[in-house]
Amino acid sequence: MAVKQAGGLPTSEKKKPIAVISPQKKEKLPKSSKTERLSAKDSLARKIESANQNRSFFYVIAVVLIAFGFASLHMYHVSTMFENDRHFSHLSNLEREMTFRTEMGLYYFYYKTIVEAPTFSDGLVLILNDNVTEYPSVINTLKRFNLYPEIVIGAAYRLFAEVTGWLQIPTKQCWQVERGSGLPPILSCEGIGDPMYFYLQAVWICAGLTAALIFIFGTFLSRSALGGLIAILCFFFNHGESTRVQWTPPLRESFAYPFLLAQMLSICVLLRDARTCWKEGLLFATMTVCSLVTWQFSQFVLATQVVAVLILFAAGIVRKHILLLILLLLAAAVHHSLLLLVGNELLASSFLVSLLAASLLAVLLLEPAIRRMPLFIRGALTLVVCSLLAVFLRSRLSALFSSNDDAHILNLLRAKLGSYKDFHTLLYTCSPEFDFLPLEYFKKISETLLMPTVSVVLLAVVVQCITSVYQLYYLNRLQGSDRKSDEKTKDQNNSRISQENIQLFDTEVLYFFIQTIAFAVMALMVMRLKLFLTPNLCILASLLASRKFFQVIKSQTVHWAIVAVVLSGMCVRGFQNISHQRSIMGEYSNVALEQLLEWVEAETPKDAVFAGPMPVMANLLLSTRRPIVNHPHYEDAGLRERTKNVYTIFSRRTPQEVYKILSHMRVQFVVLEESWCFRESRPGCAMVDLWDVEEPENRHQPPLCPRLFLQSSIPFEKVYSNSEYVVLWLHSQYVELSPMKEYKL
């Protein structure tokens, strides 16, 4: 009889082996064989990685070379259009300077000062202590204006002239041009050794960079060189709606826009790849600084950029560390720009600074406290707090700096959205460039198929976003079903869903989409800003070549065929537009202005002080170097009041009142232009109409300017006149005496 053990089993059964099921194990390889296999795998992986790197390297080189080709083509395109429009090569230096009207003449004056000074440092001192632009005030023009392009180009020209002079290399050619019509012959020089041609060449290089960056941007956004081709072709086909560099070279946008494009491209790189390194951050900050120091309007573009990234963060699409990185880099760039601009008050008290500070405070202090709230509530609360805090900080900064420099922009918005009117606002709104975007614009970009293409692309992006949101809905339900899990598990789920949320969206595409919407709103309000909108639309059109957004087209060959058909349709109207631009032929001539400038140079003292219409003052300062009291750079509150006082000569006030105002400003000569006295660009936009809004109590009085232009100029003295201009002298001997008795008339 078997004896049972304590475990309940017989002794004989205990000795039987028990079968154990275990996972199969791989047979051990000899050590040498295993090492050889690992070595073979590593070798194959290294070869694949090397091949991919080589392929990527050659692809980047190819994209850069193609971009360089488009840059050269665009440089040729804009430079020849500029030459054809003015016959610039056959103009005298005075005539060439006369073509730079309004702000263009003002900016070129500082380049001319740098070039013609005995040394570069002497020229720099002159623009840092300028006493001729806003006489009698001495201003730091580097602080007030964005003159770094002129300083850099001026320094480059001086170095170029010294090197070529030392090497005895001829850099320009001069000849005498007979003008006919009784005009004296002039000496005309052409070549990069001429200061003006050197300056223009720098502008054309910036225009070339714009074309290159549009191609690279389109390639990056669509992940396809075909997308880059679509973007650059759209840019050329809609060139007249995309840039005006060929007509107005010295304007700030000519230098700043390539940097803004590069800055937007760099932020897209940061948003696409969360594993950023110091190179991407340095590029982003550098491009931001370059755009801020070259154009005062860049701050408004960057403010819309901050808003776009905040919206994506509030939606849970941009990670917190990426947002903080972008905000800190922007803050550092603003800080360095303020140092370079010697504390420019327009930038220091700008909404951009307030928005950056408010965003950093909200993300660092508010966001951790509301992290456990639902995404929608958390995002909405973050945006509301940022907005309110930014407005509050903006008001405090304005009070701190006692600055009202950007008040005209806010008033312009009030005028666009309501019935607000004042003198300065009407000066803007009466100009066609500051009108609402006309319907003709949409017709033009529709004829080149740009608008339909962008509409299809945006529809594809929206569908992709809806699909991603639909997927997120189930992820959020998965999180909500686990209500009894502990806090650690919930945090892990939040982190996992956040990661999957980010991966579902093309963050850089969504950012660029929101940025384009901001540009569209700006362009609708101010037609001039379509120069931001149209290039962005061209870049968005590149997504037509993106396989991700057009997965509904199963075959890549069919997709490419559709793109080829669309490009063919674009070419029909696009080549007509290019042909029309290149057919514009002209020859600049402004005899009346030339006569005025020659008279001023010959008949007035070197220290004679002038006032008058802003465009004329810019030309007078540039060509004669006579001190002026007002100029076209309208971004300073004090300068706006100066100009308003000068423009009382176009009001209905009495001659004696205006004489006193101008004498108090120490003006010696006033220039009147015929068109400013008698014409109006549109109903209600004559100069006297602007004053009727400002001083309605004087509406029954006759306008002053026509009387001074045609009739008696007392107490002024008319010292020069031609078909378009009259110069009045404020002689110091004039004294107004009041009668000793009162008489009834």
Side-chain angles (χ1 to χ4, degrees):
M1 185 172 177
V3 181
K4 290 186 178 180
Q5 301 294 323
L9 291 174
T11 308
S12 59
E13 292 179 5
K14 183 180 177 183
K15 295 181 180 178
K16 293 180 181 179
I18 299 173
V20 179
I21 301 174
S22 62
Q24 292 182 354
K25 295 182 180 179
K26 292 184 179 179
E27 186 179 350
K28 265 192 175 180
L29 294 173
K31 190 173 182 182
S32 59
S33 175
K34 188 174 181 180
T35 305
E36 288 174 3
R37 179 174 291 188
L38 289 174
S39 177
K41 285 184 177 180
D42 291 343
S43 177
L44 180 61
R46 282 195 296 268
K47 286 180 180 179
I48 293 173
E49 185 179 357
S50 177
N52 289 336
Q53 288 179 350
N54 290 336
R55 193 180 303 114
S56 176
F57 174 76
F58 287 119
Y59 176 76
V60 170
I61 293 296
V63 168
V64 170
L65 289 177
I66 296 172
F68 177 77
F70 283 120
S72 302
L73 182 61
H74 192 231
M75 288 174 61
Y76 171 78
H77 185 51
V78 294
S79 62
T80 53
M81 279 196 292
F82 180 77
E83 167 64 25
N84 294 343
D85 180 58
R86 291 168 168 81
H87 207 190
F88 197 76
S89 59
H90 287 67
L91 299 179
S92 65
N93 280 337
L94 177 59
E95 288 176 309
R96 290 172 179 173
E97 291 176 352
M98 286 160 50
T99 65
F100 293 158
R101 300 301 302 269
T102 64
E103 288 181 73
M104 295 187 287
L106 188 68
Y107 295 129
Y108 188 79
F109 167 73
Y110 299 112
Y111 166 75
K112 184 179 177 181
T113 300
I114 293 286
V115 167
E116 295 184 354
T119 64
F120 174 76
S121 58
D122 290 338
L124 197 58
V125 168
L126 286 174
I127 68 173
L128 291 176
N129 302 275
D130 177 64
N131 64 345
V132 296
T133 304
E134 293 181 12
Y135 186 87
S137 301
V138 178
I139 62 172
N140 182 346
T141 54
L142 187 61
K143 176 181 178 180
R144 285 280 301 279
F145 313 137
N146 298 70
L147 297 180
Y148 274 97
E150 282 66 33
I151 293 174
V152 173
I153 300 170
Y157 175 79
R158 295 185 70 100
L159 179 62
F160 173 81
E162 288 181 9
V163 172
T164 54
W166 180 66
L167 296 174
Q168 297 183 348
I169 300 174
T171 56
K172 64 180 178 179
Q173 185 179 5
C174 301
W175 54 80
Q176 184 170 295
V177 178
E178 299 290 339
R179 296 190 289 173
S181 303
L183 298 173
I186 52 94
L187 183 68
S188 182
C189 296
E190 185 180 11
I192 197 171
D194 183 79
M196 188 167 289
Y197 269 91
F198 190 90
Y199 182 87
L200 289 173
Q201 191 61 33
V203 176
W204 308 144
I205 289 173
C206 289
L209 285 174
T210 297
L213 285 167
I214 287 175
F215 173 77
I216 294 172
F217 211 143
T219 301
F220 172 83
L221 208 63
S222 65
R223 303 172 189 259
S224 167
L226 180 60
L229 180 63
I230 295 172
I232 192 62
L233 287 179
C234 287
F235 177 72
F236 274 106
F237 293 160
N238 300 274
H239 195 270
E241 308 300 319
S242 302
T243 181
R244 55 178 181 170
V245 65
Q246 64 274 17
W247 316 129
T248 56
L251 288 183
R252 299 301 85 188
E253 66 204 48
S254 302
F255 299 102
Y257 188 66
F259 294 120
L260 282 171
L261 267 180
Q263 197 265 356
M264 287 189 287
L265 177 58
S266 62
I267 197 174
C268 285
V269 173
L270 289 173
L271 292 173
R272 174 177 288 184
D273 188 3
R275 297 169 300 174
T276 55
C277 66
W278 65 271
K279 294 179 182 178
E280 286 86 350
L282 180 61
L283 175 65
F284 174 74
T286 303
M287 293 300 101
T288 304
V289 171
C290 290
S291 61
L292 284 171
V293 300
T294 50
W295 194 13
Q296 66 274 10
F297 192 80
S298 296
Q299 56 173 286
F300 301 102
V301 177
L302 298 180
T304 63
Q305 187 176 90
V306 175
V307 172
V309 179
L310 278 174
I311 291 173
L312 293 177
F313 171 73
I317 298 173
V318 170
R319 297 178 184 175
K320 182 178 178 180
H321 78 277
I322 291 294
L323 175 66
L324 285 174
L325 175 65
I326 291 172
L327 294 177
L328 290 172
L329 288 173
L330 280 171
V334 170
H335 173 263
H336 284 75
S337 300
L338 284 170
L339 293 178
L340 290 170
L341 292 173
V342 203
N344 181 280
E345 291 181 0
L346 182 64
L347 177 59
S349 61
S350 67
F351 186 70
L352 172 62
V353 173
S354 305
L355 186 59
L356 283 172
S359 302
L360 285 169
L361 288 173
V363 173
L364 292 174
L365 301 180
L366 175 67
E367 198 273 339
I370 61 174
R371 185 175 55 186
R372 299 188 186 280
M373 290 184 178
L375 177 62
F376 176 78
I377 297 176
R378 186 170 72 241
L381 189 60
T382 302
L383 291 177
V384 169
V385 171
C386 281
S387 302
L388 295 177
L389 189 56
V391 172
F392 172 76
L393 291 176
R394 171 69 181 81
S395 63
R396 295 300 88 203
L397 281 175
S398 296
L400 176 64
F401 290 102
S402 301
S403 174
N404 202 26
D405 291 342
D406 59 355
H408 63 301
I409 297 175
L410 299 176
N411 289 337
L412 181 60
L413 290 176
R414 292 171 61 190
K416 292 286 185 178
L417 299 174
S419 58
Y420 178 81
K421 290 182 180 180
D422 67 11
F423 181 83
H424 303 298
T425 302
L426 286 171
L427 274 180
Y428 278 105
T429 56
C430 282
S431 176
E433 292 84 0
F434 290 89
D435 202 353
F436 288 103
L437 191 65
L439 292 176
E440 184 185 5
Y441 169 79
F442 298 99
K443 179 185 175 183
K444 287 180 178 179
I445 65 173
S446 296
E447 289 175 345
T448 59
L449 300 185
L450 176 60
M451 193 69 182
T453 301
V454 172
S455 300
V456 172
V457 164
L458 293 184
L459 179 62
V461 172
V462 169
V463 170
Q464 177 72 19
C465 288
I466 292 174
T467 304
S468 300
V469 170
Y470 186 68
Q471 295 176 23
L472 283 176
Y473 171 73
Y474 285 101
L475 289 173
N476 285 323
R477 285 191 64 183
L478 177 65
Q479 181 192 23
S481 64
D482 193 14
R483 297 180 181 276
K484 295 181 180 180
S485 60
D486 58 9
E487 296 298 327
K488 184 177 180 181
T489 305
K490 286 184 178 180
D491 289 342
Q492 289 174 351
N493 287 339
N494 283 334
S495 177
R496 176 175 55 81
I497 290 175
S498 178
Q499 296 288 340
E500 294 179 3
N501 185 354
I502 291 166
Q503 292 171 2
L504 286 171
F505 295 98
D506 282 79
T507 313
E508 72 280 4
V509 173
L510 293 181
Y511 154 74
F512 197 74
F513 175 53
I514 298 173
Q515 183 77 76
T516 304
I517 291 176
F519 287 164
V521 173
M522 292 162 61
L524 287 171
M525 302 290 290
V526 179
M527 183 182 68
R528 178 180 178 180
L529 300 181
K530 68 181 181 180
L531 306 177
F532 285 120
L533 174 61
T534 312
N536 266 39
L537 293 179
C538 296
I539 295 170
L540 272 179
S542 69
L543 292 175
L544 186 66
S546 173
R547 291 294 299 152
K548 179 172 183 178
F549 293 103
F550 291 93
Q551 293 177 2
V552 66
I553 306 174
K554 302 300 181 183
S555 171
Q556 187 175 19
T557 304
V558 174
H559 187 188
W560 286 359
I562 294 173
V563 171
V565 170
V566 173
L567 286 177
S568 301
M570 289 180 174
C571 290
V572 175
R573 187 62 184 179
F575 282 121
Q576 291 179 10
N577 290 344
I578 294 174
S579 177
H580 171 70
Q581 277 193 315
R582 300 197 63 79
S583 67
I584 297 174
M585 295 289 176
E587 186 168 354
Y588 179 82
S589 179
N590 191 339
V591 177
L593 181 59
E594 182 179 350
Q595 291 171 343
L596 170 67
L597 296 176
E598 288 177 343
W599 178 85
V600 170
E601 183 67 33
E603 301 296 333
T604 63
K606 295 290 184 183
D607 58 352
V609 183
F610 282 79
M614 291 183 286
V616 180
M617 291 300 99
N619 283 117
L620 196 142
L621 175 67
L622 170 59
S623 300
T624 69
R625 293 185 178 275
R626 298 301 191 272
I628 59 175
V629 299
N630 65 307
H631 56 75
H633 198 276
Y634 220 57
E635 276 70 31
D636 179 75
L639 190 276
R640 289 197 292 272
E641 288 307 308
R642 276 173 169 258
T643 300
K644 184 178 178 181
N645 287 332
V646 170
Y647 282 10
T648 54
I649 205 161
F650 302 112
S651 69
R652 298 179 186 271
R653 297 188 185 185
T654 64
Q656 290 76 17
E657 286 182 275
V658 176
Y659 189 97
K660 286 181 180 179
I661 292 171
L662 296 178
S663 296
H664 182 70
M665 298 174 69
R666 298 170 66 174
V667 174
Q668 296 174 342
F669 294 92
V670 182
V671 179
L672 301 180
E673 188 172 355
E674 184 262 347
S675 61
W676 286 59
C677 292
F678 299 99
R679 302 178 196 169
E680 58 182 1
S681 57
R682 66 178 73 177
C685 282
M687 286 301 300
V688 70
D689 294 331
L690 273 61
W691 278 105
D692 286 345
V693 173
E694 189 72 17
E695 299 176 346
E697 65 276 8
N698 291 337
R699 289 191 178 193
H700 63 283
Q701 300 292 339
L704 175 60
C705 187
R707 281 191 291 161
L708 296 177
F709 197 92
L710 297 175
Q711 301 171 3
S712 171
S713 58
I714 296 174
F716 301 92
E717 182 177 339
K718 191 181 297 183
V719 291
Y720 176 79
S721 67
N722 62 20
S723 60
E724 293 187 24
Y725 298 96
V726 164
V727 179
L728 304 177
W729 178 35
L730 284 74
H731 48 82
S732 57
Q733 291 82 3
Y734 170 74
V735 178
E736 183 178 3
L737 299 176
S738 302
M740 298 181 67
K741 295 182 180 180
E742 293 185 1
Y743 297 91
K744 286 187 178 181
L745 299 178

